[in-house]
Amino acid sequence: MPRTRWFTGARLNWAEHALRHGADPDPALVCLREGGGPAREITFGELRRSVAAAAGWLRRAGVRPGDRVCAYLPNTEHAVIGLLAAAVGAVWSCCSPDFGADGTVGRLAQLEPTVLIAADGYHWNGRVVDRADVVAQLRAQLPTLRHVVHVPYVSERPAPDGATPWSDLLAVDTPPGFDRVEFSHPLWVLFTSGTTGSPKGLVHGHGGITLEGLKWTGLYCGLRAGERMFAYTSTGWALWSMQLGALTHGASIVLYEGSPGYPAGAVWEAAARSGADVMLLGAAVVTASADTGVSPRAEYDLSRLRHLMVSGSALPPAGYHWVLRHVGDLRIDSTSGGTDISGSFVGANEYTPVRAGRIGGRLAGVDCAAWDDDGEPVVGTVGELVVTQPMPSMPVHLWNDPDSTRYLESYFDTWPGVWRHGDWVTLHPDGSLTIHGRSDSTLNRNGVRLGTGDFYDVLEPMPEIAETLVIGVELPDDGYWLGLFVVPAPGHRLDDELKQRITGTLRTRLSPRHVPDEIVEAPAVPHTLSGKRLEVPVKKLMAGRPLEKAVNLASVDDPDALRWYARFAADRRG
């Protein structure tokens, strides 16, 4: 690693494998959106015809192997068709329309795209969010574009001047055909969050993604023809790409566009309406569902649902118990991986028991371990999550990184030839794992490492608390400040009584070392656009870094919240 190459000389096409198994009359895509209404089903036969037509249009438009086809699309069939069509040899990348113009340009401009497929808006919390102005800015700020395709999703406005209507892509029947490419030929570029600098473009190849998708959706999701997988995700998150592996087994994928919590329980209603067999959610969605008071099993028919996969962050033990009580007696699978590999390193399997708060074990083909600072494997104690042998779905390279400098710095700077993922993990003697949080945000108090995830697991089930953020900052003269920011739940406030309850909970359920030096009421916790807490940027603010150097605000869900932390940090430093 990182220069491993697999199956040199072999040729294949990921899209061909994605479309080879499903029977023509069977549903391939089940499309839902916020607000209810009947599901729209697109059969495998219809999907194949649409992909062939769109691929033909791209060829006629002059798209050649290696060209970049980019998109600004919500979680709809347009994104799936666009990606499958671009796999004629072009390189795909997509941003979700909840990204603003700056965040989108900061990603897509790196790729110098020739084609942009863009929707006019999306739905969120009962509102139509118009994005025509953002699309106009993208056209102006992406000078390499030769073609823009207009998707009229939230309105019936005609295509802007110079843009091609989406319907034109599908208008000409074209015989299906897949150009088989070298195993490592780029398929898509997924971007990191970009919260502390320019987002890194992770380039994944046709072959690695084909193998990872077949393995994960077949062995670990257990999907078969006729079954349905519902991943609640946006097109800007790695889960969106991972779910597409379901198609390789002839299974359907459910595409839900909108908020998971509008109205309360919406994501579970969508699972019932679509007849999902397997669900994949972020842990934050489960936690938010528990806070609404809705009991999905009492409200909806979830009798087909057999398997719930949870990713994005570790599911706290309270989340397991809530699922069993309020969703059903189903298999709960906490899994962890990343955009980096467009897949998972660890998760559950058919042969290991489910333990609340733990991940079942390593996945097939993943030689991962926990290492201490000396590069020695450790069991039963916290270490760095490392991968010691290459995986086919590791990035072929990073975009605009010809000598692999950024790739080496990102993953191989600590131990040459060993992938350091950046998570603190405990590998237990029985093979199960506990993920404690990012190692770059880990607290180090008096020489003892404390995982931030442990704080969240014990505090956020408390009914008085909506969300928390824990930060540790080194001080002069070997001092250390451990601060806990608390967002109270509606109707509550951070008074002395709640502070005492927090302190007591941390002391008894974790350890006295986990008791913070200061507990502060905050208006909100800032996140990346994919929902991860911004621990490292807030730590930089607390250490005195200016806001503009601590974070890229275009990659933040609530810039005003982060500005509050910047003011707090400045006031605290005087």
Side-chain angles (χ1 to χ4, degrees):
M1 294 185 285
R3 296 179 176 87
T4 307
R5 288 296 176 266
W6 295 82
F7 302 105
T8 53
R11 301 181 71 83
L12 79 166
N13 187 292
W14 168 80
E16 181 177 9
H17 286 276
L19 295 174
R20 66 185 290 196
H21 284 307
D24 276 354
D26 290 346
L29 310 178
V30 181
C31 306
L32 308 171
R33 75 170 178 83
E34 177 187 294
R40 292 183 299 106
E41 295 189 354
I42 297 172
T43 67
F44 272 96
E46 292 167 336
L47 181 59
R48 292 187 183 98
R49 287 190 291 274
S50 294
V51 169
W57 184 91
L58 289 172
R59 291 189 181 98
R60 294 190 299 275
V63 174
R64 298 292 178 260
D67 287 351
R68 275 74 68 196
V69 175
C70 293
Y72 187 65
L73 293 170
N75 187 23
T76 62
E77 72 272 20
H78 312 92
V80 178
I81 293 168
L83 166 57
L84 289 164
V88 295
V91 182
W92 171 265
S93 191
C94 184
C95 286
S96 172
D98 57 354
F99 284 34
D102 290 346
T104 304
V105 170
R107 290 161 171 78
L108 301 188
Q110 297 182 46
L111 306 182
E112 300 179 302
T114 58
V115 176
L116 176 69
I117 305 172
D120 55 358
Y122 64 102
H123 301 91
W124 191 259
N125 280 346
R127 297 183 299 113
V128 171
V129 182
D130 191 293
R131 283 309 211 194
D133 59 333
V134 175
V135 175
Q137 293 179 63
L138 299 182
R139 295 182 67 180
Q141 296 181 55
L142 297 173
T144 57
L145 290 177
R146 299 199 301 263
H147 301 279
V148 175
V149 177
H150 170 70
V151 178
Y153 182 60
V154 298
S155 74
E156 297 182 1
R157 65 165 66 96
D161 290 343
T164 300
W166 171 260
S167 57
D168 285 10
L169 266 69
L170 311 184
V172 179
D173 285 338
T174 305
F178 299 95
D179 298 327
R180 294 181 179 176
V181 294
E182 196 274 326
F183 190 90
S184 296
H185 184 87
L187 170 62
W188 60 49
V189 178
L190 303 182
F191 283 97
T192 60
S193 59
T195 52
T196 56
S198 177
K200 294 192 296 286
L202 304 158
V203 182
H204 293 113
H206 276 250
I209 294 303
T210 299
L211 292 181
E212 180 65 25
L214 284 164
K215 178 195 80 173
W216 185 69
T217 54
L219 295 180
Y220 292 96
C221 303
L223 288 165
R224 299 294 181 265
E227 293 192 313
R228 298 181 175 193
M229 180 175 193
F230 172 25
Y232 178 76
T233 180
S234 74
T235 53
W237 200 10
L239 298 187
W240 189 85
S241 306
M242 291 171 62
Q243 70 175 341
L244 300 174
L247 298 174
T248 63
H249 296 282
S252 311
I253 56 176
V254 177
L255 303 174
Y256 178 82
E257 192 273 315
S259 166
Y262 183 86
V267 73
W268 307 103
E269 186 276 334
R273 183 157 38 114
S274 61
D277 298 277
V278 177
M279 285 183 78
L280 173 59
L281 302 173
V285 176
V286 176
T287 302
S289 296
D291 292 340
T292 65
V294 173
S295 180
R297 72 187 306 170
E299 300 280 343
Y300 314 114
D301 179 6
L302 295 170
S303 56
R304 281 189 59 164
L305 187 62
R306 59 173 171 79
H307 189 170
L308 178 67
M309 310 184 86
V310 183
S311 190
S313 58
L315 182 65
Y320 286 75
H321 297 297
W322 181 85
V323 169
L324 289 175
R325 283 195 301 267
H326 296 286
V327 179
D329 186 10
L330 42 75
R331 181 171 148 205
I332 305 173
D333 178 356
S334 185
T335 183
S336 182
T339 304
D340 320 77
I341 60 164
S342 193
S344 294
F345 295 119
V346 295
N349 62 67
E350 294 288 350
Y351 307 104
T352 56
V354 175
R355 294 185 176 90
R358 287 198 188 179
I359 295 174
R362 306 172 179 92
L363 299 193
V366 184
D367 192 3
C368 67
W371 279 16
D372 64 16
D373 289 342
D374 296 323
E376 295 295 329
V378 292
V379 176
T381 188
V382 176
E384 281 269 8
L385 176 63
V386 298
V387 182
T388 59
Q389 295 193 71
M391 297 169 57
S393 67
M394 285 176 173
V396 177
H397 55 81
L398 302 191
W399 194 261
N400 288 336
D401 185 33
D403 59 358
S404 298
T405 298
R406 293 185 76 195
Y407 197 177
L408 290 165
E409 290 175 349
S410 298
Y411 303 105
F412 301 98
D413 62 340
T414 305
W415 297 291
V418 174
W419 175 291
R420 184 185 71 89
H421 192 58
D423 281 342
W424 287 124
V425 60
T426 298
L427 178 62
H428 300 286
D430 63 358
S432 64
L433 300 100
T434 302
I435 303 265
H436 302 283
R438 297 293 294 170
S439 54
D440 52 9
S441 62
T442 294
L443 314 168
N444 191 336
R445 201 179 198 190
N446 300 322
V448 179
R449 292 170 179 157
L450 309 176
T452 57
D454 298 333
F455 286 79
Y456 307 140
D457 287 352
V458 302
L459 293 178
E460 294 189 359
M462 295 172 63
E464 302 93 340
I465 294 176
E467 196 169 12
T468 55
L469 183 72
V470 62
I471 301 294
V473 181
E474 292 77 13
L475 301 175
D477 302 321
D478 294 326
Y480 194 81
W481 179 79
L482 183 64
L484 177 68
F485 296 93
V486 175
V487 182
H492 295 274
R493 61 189 181 90
L494 184 64
D495 54 19
D496 289 341
E497 182 180 351
L498 180 54
K499 288 182 180 180
Q500 290 173 7
R501 283 198 62 208
I502 290 171
T503 299
T505 299
L506 292 172
R507 179 178 287 111
T508 56
R509 295 192 56 188
L510 296 176
S511 79
R513 293 190 186 94
H514 289 78
V515 175
D517 297 305
E518 190 173 355
I519 304 176
V520 180
E521 182 170 336
V525 170
H527 307 83
T528 67
L529 293 174
S530 58
K532 295 183 179 179
R533 291 175 174 89
L534 288 174
E535 295 171 332
V536 173
V538 173
K539 179 177 179 176
K540 291 179 178 179
L541 292 173
M542 297 303 299
R545 188 81 61 91
L547 177 62
E548 64 274 10
K549 294 185 178 180
V551 67
N552 176 6
L553 287 177
S555 298
V556 177
D557 67 343
D558 187 352
D560 287 339
L562 207 56
R563 293 186 183 101
W564 181 90
Y565 285 88
R567 291 193 298 271
F568 175 87
D571 292 344
R572 192 173 180 282
R573 293 193 310 274

